[in-house]
Amino acid sequence: MRNRLCAAVAVLCAVIGNAPAQQPSSSAMELPATGHDPFTDPFFRPAAAQEQAPASPTLADATAANDLRAIAAGDAGEPGLPTWMSAELLIGRTRGASVAPVVTTGPASAGALAGSVGQAGTVPLFGGKRLLNDWRTGLRIEVGMWLDPERRTGAGLRLYSLFTSNSQFRTIPNGAVVINVPQSVSAGGATVQVPAFVGFPGLTTGRVSASAQTTFAGGDLNWRCAIERGDRGRIELLAGYRQLHLADELNVNFSATSLAAAAPGAQLNGADDVRTRNNFYGPQLGLHAATGGRAVWLEGHAATALGVTVSELDFARSRFFGAGGALTLPVTQSSVSNRLTYLGVVAESGVRVNWRATEHVRVTAGYSFLYWNNVRRAQEMFVLGPVLRPHAIDFTTHLFSVGLDVRF
């Protein structure tokens, strides 16, 4: 048995030793290098894992990166042409108008000179000072659109107005005080002051009302072009068109009835109505700048417009005298209307602080000043007589604002 097992082992060794050597096949695949993952090749990558193009930055991205070029422009590369809208509450005042002493009072002891302008003891009841310079509210709205995704050029429209301001006086004399409506008339080439006593103790009684009113509004359309863009802000050129409107009124109405035994019931009625309307039209140029940090930044603007101011005037005056309540004799009745055109200059400057409340909403607060030359104001032109003072003056406004600015 042992001999046969040894013989079998010897035969097997001889067969293995005589077998030809196997050559490696030329078609065999080599193993990849250590550390290489074949599934990172795009051929093996699932469709959901394909590399996506980077998304356009949003305003939040720009804010996080502190990119004032995008923040001040209102957005940072979202698809489409971005727009902005703002609404602001205004608290402002305009330059007051100097009003002549339309209604006065004075001591009865002065007789026919009681309440006369310039007489000692005379006190103006309406007029004799600047009126219509009180603070009042208003509204300003703005809409605009950038015309390219980089926010280099755009257009914006603003409309604004201060609500109407008025001052009124109305009285019915009680018979104890003097109420005078001074009249200025020409006599022999000189100007003479004549009283119209609406109230004089024991002599006359009646009524009088007077009012002054002003309204201001405006707007502009601007093309905006960025001329400087940096990491901390931007500067834009403004070029466009501006229009302004200013309307003024002065009204006086009175009635005086005689209590004297010599002319009982004799009556004098009078009315003065002066109205002016000024409209400015012209092109303008200016600059707008913005700088700041991530959430708070400062804006400033300055612009000047050169054009024409069209000024319209209407003046009506009447005086009627009657006896026993019947108006029979027109003492004075006249009406004047004209239109003048002046060279107009309008300058505006202002600042505004912005706080970014959300990605698309800003809270704003600011101040602006506006100057306008060569306007006619009804209250300034009236000098108690049938002839108005040909007077064109400068007009200014001071505006404080608070509002919301929405950008998409």
Side-chain angles (χ1 to χ4, degrees):
M1 173 71 70
R2 182 181 301 173
N3 294 333
R4 282 184 291 186
L5 180 59
C6 292
V9 172
V11 172
L12 180 60
C13 292
V15 171
I16 294 175
N18 294 328
Q22 297 291 330
Q23 299 296 325
S25 172
S26 60
S27 61
M29 179 180 292
E30 294 184 0
L31 294 176
T34 303
H36 176 71
D37 181 2
F39 290 97
T40 60
D41 189 282
F43 179 82
F44 294 102
R45 187 174 303 167
Q50 294 291 337
E51 184 176 351
Q52 301 293 327
S56 298
T58 65
L59 181 57
D61 300 329
T63 303
N66 204 24
D67 184 359
L68 259 291
R69 292 174 298 179
I71 295 173
D75 212 330
E78 292 182 353
L81 296 178
T83 60
W84 72 86
M85 298 173 288
S86 67
E88 296 173 294
L89 174 68
L90 301 177
I91 301 177
R93 64 186 298 183
T94 60
R95 180 184 184 271
S98 294
V99 182
V102 175
V103 184
T104 64
T105 187
S109 58
L113 297 178
S116 295
V117 178
Q119 176 70 20
T122 295
V123 177
L125 298 178
F126 185 82
K129 62 180 181 180
R130 286 192 180 274
L131 299 178
L132 307 175
N133 58 351
D134 54 316
W135 292 94
R136 59 190 191 271
T137 58
L139 184 66
R140 179 167 57 205
I141 60 174
E142 181 178 358
V143 295
M145 173 182 288
W146 292 108
L147 304 179
D148 61 283
E150 291 76 24
R151 280 71 172 174
R152 292 185 177 274
T153 59
L157 171 67
R158 293 191 309 163
L159 299 173
Y160 45 89
S161 175
L162 282 177
F163 300 142
T164 298
S165 175
N166 61 74
S167 181
Q168 297 182 347
F169 174 84
R170 185 176 288 108
T171 187
I172 298 178
N174 58 11
V177 296
V178 173
I179 303 294
N180 183 27
V181 181
Q183 310 290 300
S184 179
V185 298
S186 296
T191 300
V192 179
Q193 197 175 147
V194 178
F197 290 121
V198 173
F200 198 101
L203 292 180
T204 62
T205 186
R207 59 178 176 80
V208 61
S209 63
S211 65
Q213 178 176 295
T214 187
T215 301
F216 171 71
D220 55 11
L221 176 64
N222 287 299
W223 173 74
R224 301 172 61 165
C225 176
I227 57 177
E228 179 68 29
R229 304 174 73 206
D231 293 337
R232 301 298 298 177
R234 58 189 279 137
I235 300 175
E236 300 168 3
L237 174 67
L238 305 178
Y241 169 79
R242 182 186 288 271
Q243 186 168 330
L244 297 176
H245 173 75
L246 174 66
D248 288 288
E249 297 180 18
L250 178 67
N251 302 281
V252 183
N253 290 273
F254 68 90
S255 176
T257 303
S258 173
L259 299 176
Q267 193 174 66
L268 176 66
N269 293 275
D272 292 296
D273 184 44
V274 190
R275 299 169 185 262
T276 55
R277 295 170 301 280
N278 299 273
N279 292 284
F280 172 84
Y281 312 91
Q284 72 174 359
L285 288 174
L287 292 174
H288 179 276
T291 186
R294 294 185 176 184
V296 179
W297 62 98
L298 181 67
E299 292 180 315
H301 73 275
T304 301
L306 180 64
V308 296
T309 296
V310 178
S311 180
E312 299 177 340
L313 166 70
D314 294 304
F315 175 38
R317 181 180 178 89
S318 63
R319 299 291 185 271
F320 290 91
F321 178 78
L327 299 178
T328 58
L329 181 62
V331 179
T332 300
Q333 192 170 13
S334 62
S335 178
V336 176
S337 297
N338 64 39
R339 174 185 292 188
L340 299 177
T341 300
Y342 297 98
L343 174 66
V345 176
V346 175
E348 181 188 8
S349 61
V351 294
R352 188 170 74 170
V353 178
N354 297 261
W355 174 66
R356 194 180 73 89
T358 70
E359 182 176 354
H360 296 289
V361 178
R362 307 172 176 184
V363 178
T364 66
Y367 165 80
S368 62
F369 171 81
L370 183 140
Y371 166 85
W372 180 7
N373 77 327
N374 288 339
V375 299
R376 292 191 297 177
R377 307 195 69 179
Q379 304 86 356
E380 297 263 357
M381 300 180 70
F382 183 66
V383 287
L384 308 178
V387 179
L388 298 179
R389 177 171 53 185
H391 192 46
I393 64 171
D394 297 334
F395 175 80
T396 58
T397 67
H398 299 268
L399 301 176
F400 291 91
S401 65
V402 60
L404 294 178
D405 188 304
V406 181
R407 310 232 164 183
F408 294 99

